Amino acid sequence: MAVQDISTYTYQDTFSLSVVQFEKACVVNKPEQVDSYTIYWIKEGKGTYYIDFEEYTFDGNIIFFLSPGQVFSVSSEKIKEAYKLSFKRDFYCIQTHDKEISCNGVLFNNVYDTPFVIPKPKDILRLSLLLEDLIEEFNNENSGQYDMLQSYLKQFIIHSVRVKTANFVVKEETETKLYKDFSVLVEQNFKKLHSVSAYADRLGISPKSISKHFQKLGTTTPSDFIKNRIILEAKRQLLYSEQSVKEIAFDLGFNDPAYFTRFFTKAIEKSPLSFKAEYKK
């Protein structure tokens, strides 16, 4: 998003709201790693964004949700009206019993799901009112400002969760429980556990049962699921760490750096160093 013509409101460097109201073409090819929980609401505009190296093209109203560590870049955009909400974990992260609206809920910290929602007219009205309330509260330095700002942010997130669950086909909890359990285990252990059998042991079922469950859901295979998470982390580290390919290989649980290089090259048809050079130029 272009930096010019942006009004920004901040609270103690832990929460900010930026308002963009202009119509201007912008191209930002260099990917950046997100360091805060970030919400981009493109209220009127079009463009193409890359999030964790996946392309998302939009034309009209859309809200993107990014978590710390994700890689974001703009291929093209023409924005007339947009908003950016950015907050640190210290400012807002709900307890586990509110898991749908937490920082590990439906919208954030889920690299396996679509990172956006598309609000309908009634949703747009409600979310717009919340942003107006936020701007008014940013300008209000009376007591209780932190609580009010957090309350409006929480309402924005709750309503966005409702938009997502209402507009996307959501399978029954019983149908997706194994998939969710598997994805959580992968997220926690992908740097050290690389085989489906290792996760099957932890889940107390057979690898074949996991494969059948994934096939029933019409998703990728369990082995590709694990591989894709490793590759994503490798891409992030290649671009945003000072580690060598050898050090990244060891960090991701590969005892043989040469095998890691073959693994990476086979997955994306580029060597680690070629991938790094392409994005760094």
Side-chain angles (χ1 to χ4, degrees):
M1 195 168 289
V3 296
Q4 59 267 50
D5 302 317
I6 296 178
S7 300
T8 300
Y9 306 86
T10 61
Y11 177 81
Q12 296 184 357
D13 296 325
T14 59
F15 181 36
S16 67
L17 166 61
S18 298
V19 182
V20 184
Q21 289 183 311
F22 64 97
E23 190 156 10
K24 193 171 295 185
C26 169
V27 178
V28 181
N29 289 317
K30 187 177 180 182
E32 298 177 352
Q33 192 165 37
V34 178
D35 63 1
S36 301
Y37 292 95
T38 304
I39 302 169
Y40 286 113
W41 183 10
I42 312 302
K43 199 170 181 182
E44 191 174 349
K46 60 182 179 180
T48 299
Y49 292 168
Y50 282 86
I51 300 173
D52 277 335
F53 313 100
E54 294 290 330
E55 181 182 290
Y56 299 95
T57 297
F58 60 91
D59 186 355
N61 214 288
I62 190 168
I63 309 175
F64 290 97
F65 298 86
L66 289 83
S67 302
Q70 290 195 282
V71 177
F72 174 75
S73 63
V74 177
S75 175
S76 66
E77 67 174 5
K78 194 171 185 181
I79 304 300
K80 187 172 182 180
E81 182 178 1
Y83 301 87
K84 175 186 175 183
L85 293 163
S86 183
F87 61 93
K88 303 288 187 183
R89 177 176 286 274
D90 289 346
F91 182 82
Y92 172 90
C93 268
I94 297 301
Q95 304 91 329
T96 54
H97 64 268
D98 287 321
K99 60 183 181 179
E100 285 192 341
I101 59 170
S102 72
C103 290
N104 293 309
V106 171
L107 303 174
F108 297 106
N109 277 334
N110 190 349
V111 298
Y112 314 107
D113 201 1
T114 307
F116 64 84
V117 301
I118 300 175
K120 294 183 177 179
K122 63 181 180 63
D123 306 313
I124 293 169
L125 177 61
R126 179 68 185 122
L127 293 172
S128 296
L129 291 173
L130 284 170
L131 287 184
E132 289 177 13
D133 289 337
L134 273 169
I135 291 171
E136 182 178 344
E137 191 59 38
F138 272 113
N139 291 320
N140 182 357
E141 296 183 358
N142 292 328
S143 61
Q145 186 184 31
Y146 168 83
D147 294 315
M148 290 294 285
L149 289 172
Q150 189 186 66
S151 173
Y152 291 137
L153 173 62
K154 183 176 180 179
Q155 289 179 62
F156 192 98
I157 291 172
I158 289 171
H159 200 83
S160 298
V161 168
R162 290 176 178 174
V163 171
K164 184 160 191 175
T165 54
N167 295 345
F168 285 78
V169 176
V170 180
K171 293 181 179 292
E172 293 295 325
E173 177 72 17
T174 52
E175 292 184 69
T176 60
K177 186 178 186 308
L178 178 56
Y179 178 87
K180 290 176 180 177
D181 290 346
F182 183 86
S183 66
V184 168
L185 273 180
V186 170
E187 190 62 27
Q188 294 171 342
N189 299 282
F190 69 89
K191 289 186 177 183
K192 54 187 177 182
L193 301 180
H194 294 176
S195 68
V196 178
S197 60
Y199 292 98
D201 288 344
R202 295 203 173 196
L203 290 167
I205 58 176
S206 69
K208 184 177 288 187
S209 295
I210 296 177
S211 296
K212 285 183 177 178
H213 184 76
F214 273 54
Q215 187 175 21
K216 181 180 177 182
L217 293 176
T219 186
T220 183
T221 66
S223 58
D224 280 344
F225 188 99
I226 298 165
K227 178 194 73 177
N228 292 341
R229 186 62 186 93
I230 296 169
I231 292 296
L232 172 57
E233 189 64 26
K235 288 177 175 179
R236 289 177 176 179
Q237 292 196 26
L238 283 164
L239 295 185
Y240 296 103
S241 78
E242 299 301 320
Q243 296 184 102
S244 65
V245 173
K246 180 178 179 180
E247 290 170 327
I248 292 171
F250 289 146
D251 182 60
L252 294 177
F254 291 84
N255 295 323
D256 181 359
Y259 176 73
F260 165 73
T261 296
R262 293 195 297 272
F263 173 86
F264 187 94
T265 304
K266 182 179 180 181
I268 72 162
E269 299 182 344
K270 293 185 184 73
S271 71
L273 290 179
S274 294
F275 170 82
K276 183 173 183 176
E278 179 180 315
Y279 274 87
K280 287 288 188 178
K281 65 184 179 181

